[in-house]
Amino acid sequence: MFVLKANNLIFRLIVALLFIFQGVGGLNAQEDGFDIDFTSELKSLIDSLDVTLSENNKFVDAKRTRIRDLRHSLGNARDIEQQYWFLHDLYEEYRVFDSDSAIYYTNKCTEIADELGRRSWLDEMNIHRTYLYAATGLLDEAQKSIDKIDVDNLSSVLQIPYYQNLLFLNTHRDSYVGKVSRTLPYTEKTYKVLSDLSAQIPPSDPSYPWFFGWRSLNDVDSAANAIASVKKIVDESDGDTPRAAMNAWILSRLYERVDDNENKLKYLILSAISDIRSCNKEIASLQEVAHLLYRNGDLEHANAYINYCIQCANDYKSRVRVGKLADMQLHISQAYNDRIRSQAHKINLALWSVVIILLGLAAAVVFIFVQMKKLRRSRERLNYSNEQLRKHIEELNNTRSQLEEANMKLATMYDDVKEDARSLSQRNNAKEKYIADIFGICSDYISKLDDFRKSIYRMIVAKRFDDVRELTKTPELPHGEVKELYNNFDRIFLKVYPGFVDDFNALLRPEERIKLKKGELLNTELRIYALVRLGINDSVRISKFLHCSVQTVYNTRQRTRNKSDIPKDKFAETVQTLGKPSF
């Protein structure tokens, strides 16, 4: 009973330990109830994003190489117009890479456009400055730049870029002042810009998916219908350009509109990968990925991504974005600190619990040790009693064995006596049967001899002496009687020794064994040794019994001994021991 109690105590302590360690092991559980099922595809995409981030320097080096080549080409320009186009290309390289440098090159292009009197070039530079100022949070400067453009006299080539950057400015302004939400993606003013743009942009234009996606955010049904078209374009893009990043981002917004969080995160990740590959420092997708992972409790990835975003925002001089990123980084840091405090609290609780459990285990060990000593003494007494009992049991077993042995002997003796009595009874019955058979045979022979005598007497009285002579001359009568004698002998002998033929053949070599003809019971060779088995070993007596010559008997016995598989001098003696009578 005490062992059961000790085991129960230890079991409870172990369960308590498991409970505590399970609580400590669950410290990394989801911080927020944000519902995203991290499928193998999403996990693989996050791994790809991590790899792309680790290769960021390679992409930056490639961009710096292109910029260096353009600057070299700018220094070798033939005329002022060629300088303009090299400066324009440098702006394109810096547009999402370094806002200050991009503004510098737009100003240089503006100087050349003023010098050459190219109105379309001036409008294009104002459109570019609108984008740069809006991206860096200088919304008033962006508005001033866009206001300088005479829309009525704007060239058709610049119509789409104009509305595109006007839309960019309005969405940034709405976002900064908090006028938009998940269910209200843009204001009436922005919607009017989108409507005006819809009349300008054809489906073949590269920027069509972006604007088509923006317009479709107006309601859930439009977003659901637009997903297939935009998704096809995104999935077929190379993924290394700012345009691919923009299309993937707008597709994520469409999925957000229809409450598909998994695909939303998927295309935000793809957009972030495209931004990193194209060295886009004006990066929004990775910031949203970090926010989603933060809400899902993945603080490690969220912290790494938000730090990269802050670095990009500092490099790009995006003042508003730096503030928002710093606020998110603060929330991530607070979550880290909360987790650390929670872990420390739970670890302290676990440590104290372990100490208490160890003390309980020590008490249990002492209790078990004391009880084991008592158990050992009880076991020693029990072993002594068992030893005494074992001796008594052995004595009883010996006595029982002796009784069983005596009973077995008595049973054997009884069975032997019973078998002897049955055998004796059977022998007596057989003797009576075979005496009757022999008496019948003898009676038949006496009757036959009397009939033969009467037949001779009648012939003599009738003086038929020639018939008497002929009757006594023919051997047919004795031959028939001998044949009948053989049959009777064979039949009676095989009843007494039914296995004689097989036993006798077993004494011969396999190739010399006797094979009887159809209908034969014994042949001459077997009859000779049948008489030997009956104790008639003298060849003269055998010849008289079988009505053949002594020489025939001798030759047959000699020939049979030569076929023997045992020593010849033991053959006759062995034959006499064959079989037991079967009555």
Side-chain angles (χ1 to χ4, degrees):
M1 182 63 69
F2 73 89
V3 175
L4 292 176
K5 292 180 178 179
N7 289 339
N8 189 29
L9 176 60
I10 294 174
F11 175 76
R12 291 181 179 179
L13 292 173
I14 292 173
V15 169
L17 270 175
L18 291 176
F19 177 78
I20 291 171
F21 288 130
Q22 182 179 7
V24 175
L27 292 176
N28 292 326
Q30 185 172 317
E31 300 282 344
D32 197 326
F34 190 62
D35 184 20
I36 290 183
D37 181 15
F38 278 85
T39 62
S40 57
E41 182 184 18
L42 280 178
K43 293 177 182 177
S44 177
L45 282 173
I46 291 174
D47 291 339
S48 298
L49 177 56
D50 292 339
V51 171
T52 305
L53 267 178
S54 67
E55 297 175 345
N56 175 59
N57 291 334
K58 178 180 71 174
F59 306 125
V60 172
D61 290 341
K63 177 172 277 291
R64 293 189 187 281
T65 299
R66 292 194 300 272
I67 291 173
R68 185 171 60 251
D69 293 341
L70 284 173
R71 284 177 175 171
H72 182 265
S73 299
L74 176 63
N76 297 325
R78 296 187 304 271
D79 51 42
I80 190 171
E81 185 170 346
Q82 191 177 39
Q83 287 181 7
Y84 175 85
W85 291 114
F86 283 129
L87 290 169
H88 188 279
D89 290 341
L90 283 167
Y91 158 76
E92 290 294 338
E93 288 293 339
Y94 278 116
R95 185 173 68 90
V96 293
F97 185 64
D98 187 335
S99 62
D100 285 350
S101 297
I103 291 174
Y104 169 79
Y105 286 109
T106 58
N107 292 336
K108 297 296 288 184
C109 288
T110 300
E111 292 174 3
I112 294 176
D114 277 335
E115 183 178 347
L116 297 178
R118 299 289 184 89
R119 183 64 196 176
S120 62
W121 288 4
L122 290 171
D123 289 339
E124 183 180 7
M125 290 304 109
N126 281 319
I127 291 172
H128 292 330
R129 275 192 289 271
T130 299
Y131 170 81
L132 294 172
Y133 288 141
T136 55
L138 301 175
L139 301 181
D140 290 339
E141 286 77 0
Q143 188 65 50
K144 291 177 182 178
S145 296
I146 203 77
D147 290 342
K148 292 179 181 180
I149 300 171
D150 184 2
V151 181
D152 296 331
N153 295 319
L154 190 65
S155 66
S156 59
V157 176
L158 296 178
Q159 290 285 335
I160 293 175
Y162 170 80
Y163 284 108
Q164 181 176 348
N165 284 282
L166 179 60
L167 175 66
F168 185 77
L169 171 60
N170 289 337
T171 54
H172 273 59
R173 180 181 288 110
D174 293 342
S175 176
Y176 291 157
V177 300
K179 289 185 178 181
V180 297
S181 64
R182 178 176 176 276
T183 56
L184 182 64
Y186 35 72
T187 60
E188 289 295 329
K189 183 178 180 181
T190 303
Y191 184 75
K192 183 179 184 306
V193 174
L194 283 170
S195 299
D196 293 341
L197 187 61
S198 300
Q200 300 290 333
I201 186 167
S204 59
D205 191 276
S207 59
Y208 176 78
W210 170 263
F211 295 107
F212 177 63
W214 264 108
R215 285 193 61 198
S216 301
L217 290 173
N218 192 41
D219 59 77
V220 176
D221 292 336
S222 298
N225 293 330
I227 284 175
S229 300
V230 178
K231 182 177 184 300
K232 181 180 178 182
I233 296 172
V234 171
D235 291 343
E236 291 176 354
S237 65
D238 57 8
D240 289 337
T241 63
R243 176 66 63 188
M246 291 171 63
N247 291 341
W249 183 85
I250 197 62
L251 180 57
S252 74
R253 291 295 305 274
L254 291 171
Y255 276 116
E256 179 186 27
R257 197 72 170 90
V258 297
D259 292 325
D260 188 344
N261 289 326
E262 284 76 19
N263 277 310
K264 172 189 174 183
L265 178 58
K266 172 184 174 180
Y267 285 99
L268 278 175
I269 293 173
L270 290 174
S271 176
I273 291 174
S274 298
D275 281 333
I276 296 168
R277 287 180 174 274
S278 60
C279 297
N280 184 2
K281 301 285 187 175
E282 211 281 303
I283 187 168
S285 301
L286 189 61
Q287 176 182 344
E288 294 188 45
V289 171
H291 185 247
L292 291 178
L293 294 180
Y294 158 71
R295 292 182 61 190
N296 207 64
D298 188 354
L299 300 182
E300 289 75 14
H301 278 107
N303 186 61
Y305 297 160
I306 210 67
N307 285 334
Y308 177 81
C309 290
I310 290 175
Q311 178 185 346
C312 289
N314 287 327
D315 293 341
Y316 194 72
K317 317 313 188 284
S318 179
R319 300 156 185 79
V320 178
R321 192 178 297 278
V322 168
K324 289 187 174 183
L325 291 171
D327 183 64
M328 183 179 293
Q329 187 182 43
L330 177 62
H331 283 85
I332 294 174
S333 299
Q334 289 176 348
Y336 256 124
N337 292 332
D338 291 343
R339 175 181 289 185
I340 291 172
R341 284 193 296 271
S342 176
Q343 288 177 339
H345 174 72
K346 291 181 179 180
I347 289 173
N348 288 332
L349 177 62
L351 288 175
W352 279 109
S353 300
V354 169
V355 170
I356 294 172
I357 290 173
L358 289 177
L359 292 174
L361 286 174
V365 169
V366 172
F367 174 76
I368 291 173
F369 179 75
V370 172
Q371 297 301 324
M372 289 297 292
K373 288 183 66 176
K374 294 181 180 179
L375 179 61
R376 186 164 52 251
R377 289 194 294 268
S378 300
R379 186 178 293 120
E380 289 173 356
R381 291 194 295 268
L382 181 60
N383 288 338
Y384 177 77
S385 301
N386 288 336
E387 183 65 24
Q388 296 299 318
L389 180 61
R390 186 184 61 79
K391 290 181 180 179
H392 292 312
I393 290 173
E394 287 180 355
E395 292 175 358
L396 290 174
N397 287 336
N398 291 334
T399 304
R400 186 176 63 183
S401 297
Q402 292 173 1
L403 289 174
E404 289 178 352
E405 185 178 354
N407 288 333
M408 289 177 63
K409 289 181 179 179
L410 288 175
T412 302
M413 291 172 63
Y414 173 76
D415 290 340
D416 291 342
V417 171
K418 185 177 179 181
E419 182 64 27
D420 290 343
R422 186 174 67 251
S423 176
L424 182 60
S425 174
Q426 291 176 348
R427 288 174 185 270
N428 289 334
N429 293 335
K431 286 178 181 179
E432 293 175 358
K433 179 177 178 299
Y434 293 129
I435 287 171
D437 289 343
I438 294 171
F439 182 77
I441 292 171
C442 292
S443 177
D444 289 340
Y445 278 115
I446 291 171
S447 297
K448 289 178 181 180
L449 288 174
D450 188 54
D451 291 340
F452 183 70
R453 180 189 61 77
K454 289 178 181 179
S455 177
I456 294 296
Y457 176 75
R458 285 194 296 272
M459 288 181 185
I460 293 173
V461 172
K463 296 182 181 182
R464 294 164 52 193
F465 299 112
D466 291 336
D467 292 338
V468 172
R469 185 172 57 253
E470 288 299 325
L471 181 62
T472 56
K473 180 181 177 180
T474 179
E476 292 179 3
L477 181 61
H479 282 332
E481 299 301 331
V482 169
K483 185 176 181 181
E484 185 178 356
L485 175 65
Y486 287 168
N487 287 334
N488 289 328
F489 174 79
D490 294 348
R491 178 175 55 79
I492 294 172
F493 180 81
L494 288 177
K495 285 185 178 180
V496 179
Y497 302 98
F500 176 76
V501 176
D502 292 335
D503 293 342
F504 185 80
N505 272 330
L507 301 179
L508 306 179
R509 294 191 296 275
E511 68 274 9
E512 299 293 347
R513 290 174 182 172
I514 299 170
K515 295 181 180 179
L516 294 171
K517 297 178 181 178
K518 185 176 180 181
E520 281 188 333
L521 298 177
L522 297 174
N523 60 15
T524 302
E525 188 175 1
L526 289 171
R527 289 189 194 100
I528 291 172
Y529 279 98
L531 292 172
V532 172
R533 175 63 186 86
L534 294 174
I536 303 173
N537 198 27
D538 183 43
S539 296
V540 176
R541 291 183 64 193
I542 294 172
S543 66
K544 288 180 180 180
F545 183 83
L546 297 179
H547 295 277
C548 60
S549 67
V550 176
Q551 189 63 39
T552 298
V553 174
Y554 178 79
N555 290 340
T556 300
R557 294 182 68 177
Q558 185 67 29
R559 186 169 56 252
T560 303
R561 284 197 297 271
N562 290 335
K563 297 189 290 183
S564 171
D565 202 22
I566 62 175
K568 296 178 182 179
D569 56 345
K570 300 290 185 180
F571 190 75
E573 181 180 347
T574 303
V575 170
Q576 291 179 356
T577 63
L578 293 177
K580 290 184 178 181
S582 177
F583 298 102

